[in-house]
Amino acid sequence: GAVVSQHPSWVICKSGTSVKIECRSLDFQATTMFWYRQFPKQSLMLMATSNEGSKATYEQGVEKDKFLINHASLTLSTLTVTSAHPEDSSFYICSAEDRGYGSYEQYFGPGTRLTVT
Amino acid sequence: ILNVEQSPQSLHVQEGDSTNFTCSFPSSNFYALHWYRWETAKSPEALFVMTLNGDEKKKGRISATLNTKEGYSYLYIKGSQPEDSATYLCAFYTGTASKLTFGTGTRLQVTL
């Protein structure tokens, strides 16, 4: 099946610094990637939809200036958490959509645990 | 706001037991219902994508059914094994919004 990698798997940073998370589709081209966030005991919440070569579409309530998304190629999307604060500590996970067979199936990375101290 | 609910939240069964859980979703604007299995420290793994009312899909000991008119899907595991221990997520896909809305998942633990 399709493989999506995510790096790093965990990161600890100090308040006020920025953190970049990478999401790569390893064996297929993904024109669309998604970024989700999960708080403890809650469901995966979509933050933004990232389309290759265009601006990301953010969900209501997600600050686009705080969570910068770049989708510069068909296999790579990045999420940068700028000026991170402790309340940004969470689990971030990406997915890449494979529309090759019209199924709109999403393949997920393993996620990144961010802790802001 | 779309509401996708899963029940139970968690389930503890013994090896060999058969089990099932439920995913409830809005019956309007339906496009597809996705099931994922998510083991700790791994990527969520796609199990099924279901699109038609009355669909039944099977993968080994795991099967799923879909009722789009009443807005629910069941996931069945026959003869549970310890390796089935995971969180099972369902996600509703509406064509109008082109995105997945996830339930909170059912955490299954299978013990010997």
Side-chain angles (χ1 to χ4, degrees):
Chain A
V3 179
V4 174
S5 70
Q6 197 171 331
H7 178 81
S9 55
W10 60 270
V11 57
I12 301 173
C13 71
K14 290 188 176 179
S15 187
T17 61
S18 295
V19 173
K20 181 185 281 189
I21 303 170
E22 292 187 349
C23 178
R24 293 179 186 272
S25 56
L26 298 186
D27 50 4
F28 68 101
Q29 293 184 329
T31 51
T32 303
M33 290 185 172
F34 301 87
W35 287 96
Y36 296 85
R37 182 174 181 176
Q38 185 184 38
F39 290 108
K41 298 188 179 181
Q42 293 188 22
S43 59
L44 294 175
M45 296 297 295
L46 181 66
M47 297 175 67
T49 301
S50 165
N51 291 297
E52 186 264 338
S54 64
K55 290 184 179 179
T57 303
Y58 290 82
E59 294 299 299
Q60 193 173 3
V62 178
E63 297 176 60
K64 62 180 181 182
D65 294 330
K66 181 163 190 62
F67 299 100
L68 300 179
I69 292 172
N70 183 277
H71 192 159
S73 78
L74 286 172
T75 58
L76 173 64
S77 176
T78 60
L79 168 69
T80 302
V81 183
T82 62
S83 187
H85 287 95
E87 57 265 30
D88 299 323
S89 298
S90 188
F91 184 78
Y92 295 87
I93 190 167
C94 69
S95 70
E97 189 171 68
D98 184 358
R99 298 190 179 186
Y101 299 97
S103 66
Y104 294 85
E105 202 154 340
Q106 289 187 26
Y107 298 94
F108 283 83
T112 298
R113 174 74 58 189
L114 170 64
T115 302
V116 184
T117 61
Chain B
I1 298 176
L2 298 174
N3 200 24
V4 179
E5 295 184 354
Q6 290 187 249
S7 63
Q9 284 189 340
S10 64
L11 198 52
H12 193 155
V13 303
Q14 291 196 314
E15 184 181 16
D17 289 348
S18 292
T19 186
N20 65 86
F21 7 101
T22 306
C23 173
S24 300
F25 52 86
S27 55
S28 58
N29 294 320
F30 178 87
Y31 189 88
L33 194 283
H34 296 231
W35 280 101
Y36 288 87
R37 176 170 64 195
W38 194 1
E39 295 180 66
T40 303
K42 295 186 178 179
S43 303
E45 172 198 355
L47 288 175
F48 306 113
V49 179
M50 309 181 78
T51 56
L52 299 175
N53 184 44
D55 244 358
E56 285 190 37
K57 296 213 171 181
K58 190 175 180 183
K59 190 176 185 178
R61 293 178 291 98
I62 304 176
S63 60
T65 60
L66 179 68
N67 183 322
T68 59
K69 292 183 179 179
E70 295 182 39
Y72 65 84
S73 175
Y74 293 136
L75 188 81
Y76 301 90
I77 301 178
K78 186 178 178 182
S80 303
Q81 299 297 309
E83 57 265 31
D84 296 328
S85 298
T87 296
Y88 291 82
L89 297 172
C90 71
F92 173 77
Y93 190 96
T94 166
T96 51
S98 299
K99 62 182 183 181
L100 288 174
T101 300
F102 281 85
T104 52
T106 293
R107 178 174 287 186
L108 174 67
Q109 188 172 354
V110 183
T111 52
L112 297 171

